[in-house]
Amino acid sequence: MKKLIAIDLDGTALNTQSKLSDRTTQTLKRAMQAGHAVSIVTGRPYRMSQQFYQQLGLHTPMVNFNGALVHIPEQKWAGETETPISRDLVFDILGQKENLRLDFVAAENKETFYIDSMDWFDPNFFAAPATPANLLTTTNMTTNPTSMMVRTSNEFASDVSRELMKQYGDYVDVRTWGGPISILEIVAKGIQKARGLDQVARYLEIGQKDIIAFGDEHNDEEMLAYAGWGVAMQNATDPIKKVANDVTEKTNAEDGLAAYLENYLDLA
């Protein structure tokens, strides 16, 4: 039976160097050769995940910004959806940057990004160079963005998330990326990976029971619960392990996703 394999990136398909290992790459390609479909479902924007889409040779719809953008890269697709947040909300949060103990505030859409200060700008992290046009100002960002991203220290992440939800919870949801850096992503209320994955599955005409999804963090919870078979990584948080149908024996640093799929789909 054809399966849809939904893969989170950070902490799941990617190793601790934020790369797809050769084993994971080849295992996913073997799965596709066996007739299964693979879709990336990530909190990352497209420009920070397109290299993995290309590395795997995918042609399926991709979910970015935790579901706020569903698209087929480099194609005009009638089913593409992009759900924005309010531009005014972004600048309201930016005004609280010091009180919230944020390192930087960034806003993004499918095509570009804006960041409030170049002091924290890393071209490798943003997967693009920056110019003065990328500064987060009312002059530069004139439309509603798809997502907002803030960075804080690990020790403050939970407090920041709670405070943002307290103030703006009627309009947005706050998700954590996972991985070594404390990144909180802010998307429109009701946006979640499960919603994006459902859109992908319907397009590919694959039933919910035939979806196997892998994840490790808070933003994967609904996706793992929605999938016919949800798999938490060995390095996943306890709440994610509780909602999953199974847990990999190995971590993302040990090619846990690849090892699991080799056995589950008899690919070895």
Side-chain angles (χ1 to χ4, degrees):
M1 181 64 69
K2 180 180 180 180
K3 300 290 185 182
L4 170 55
I5 305 164
I7 58 171
D8 169 53
L9 290 178
D10 294 282
T12 301
L14 304 186
N15 59 23
T16 50
Q17 287 75 48
S18 295
K19 294 181 179 180
L20 281 174
S21 70
D22 289 341
R23 181 180 179 184
T24 296
T25 300
Q26 294 308 314
T27 297
L28 290 168
K29 286 185 174 181
R30 287 203 304 276
M32 289 186 282
Q33 290 165 0
H36 306 294
V38 174
S39 180
I40 292 174
V41 184
T42 180
R44 290 185 177 214
Y46 175 55
R47 70 175 186 283
M48 295 173 64
S49 48
Q50 67 181 96
Q51 69 269 38
F52 306 119
Y53 189 92
Q54 294 165 352
Q55 184 176 342
L56 292 171
L58 300 181
H59 302 285
T60 50
M62 182 179 191
V63 178
N64 291 107
F65 298 123
N66 284 323
L69 173 63
V70 183
H71 62 126
I72 300 179
E74 312 304 324
Q75 288 189 35
K76 288 187 178 296
W77 178 39
E80 180 171 323
T81 57
E82 191 167 6
T83 308
I85 59 173
S86 168
R87 171 178 176 271
D88 292 340
L89 183 147
V90 173
F91 289 109
D92 197 53
I93 293 176
L94 178 58
Q96 302 182 63
K97 177 183 176 182
E98 185 175 345
N99 288 339
L100 290 171
R101 293 173 292 198
L102 304 179
D103 297 329
F104 69 71
V105 174
E108 311 173 84
N109 56 37
K110 182 181 179 181
E111 303 299 336
T112 192
F113 68 92
Y114 305 92
I115 186 169
D116 74 295
S117 171
M118 293 301 172
D119 291 343
W120 287 91
F121 177 73
D122 180 346
N124 294 316
F125 179 77
F126 281 87
T131 71
N134 293 108
L135 282 172
L136 181 58
T137 67
T138 55
T139 302
N140 284 340
M141 193 178 77
T142 58
T143 59
N144 292 330
T146 310
S147 173
M148 186 176 176
M149 180 173 66
V150 299
R151 170 175 165 162
T152 186
S153 300
N154 287 328
E155 61 186 305
F156 302 138
S158 294
D159 290 339
V160 172
S161 180
R162 280 193 294 270
E163 181 59 28
L164 290 174
M165 286 302 294
K166 178 181 176 182
Q167 292 191 47
Y168 308 104
D170 289 341
Y171 312 103
V172 300
D173 283 324
V174 180
R175 305 285 177 164
T176 56
W177 264 21
I181 303 173
S182 262
I183 296 292
L184 301 179
E185 185 180 36
I186 303 162
V187 292
K189 190 71 176 177
I191 290 296
Q192 52 177 257
K193 287 186 175 184
R195 179 173 161 180
L197 179 55
D198 179 71
Q199 186 177 340
V200 175
R202 289 177 185 274
Y203 173 74
L204 296 175
E205 298 183 338
I206 296 176
Q208 184 176 351
K209 66 180 177 61
D210 291 316
I211 300 172
I212 175 172
F214 292 84
D216 72 304
E217 264 285 357
H218 172 58
N219 62 340
D220 298 311
E221 182 174 351
E222 293 90 351
M223 177 174 74
L224 265 59
Y226 164 83
W229 194 252
V231 183
M233 300 300 295
Q234 182 59 234
N235 52 283
T237 62
D238 288 339
I240 296 303
K241 289 180 178 179
K242 289 178 182 177
V243 79
N245 297 102
D246 204 0
V247 179
T248 64
E249 292 184 2
K250 298 180 179 180
T251 68
N252 66 312
E254 303 167 309
D255 293 321
L257 183 151
Y260 191 94
L261 276 180
E262 287 166 357
N263 180 62
Y264 187 83
L265 298 177
D266 195 22
L267 297 173

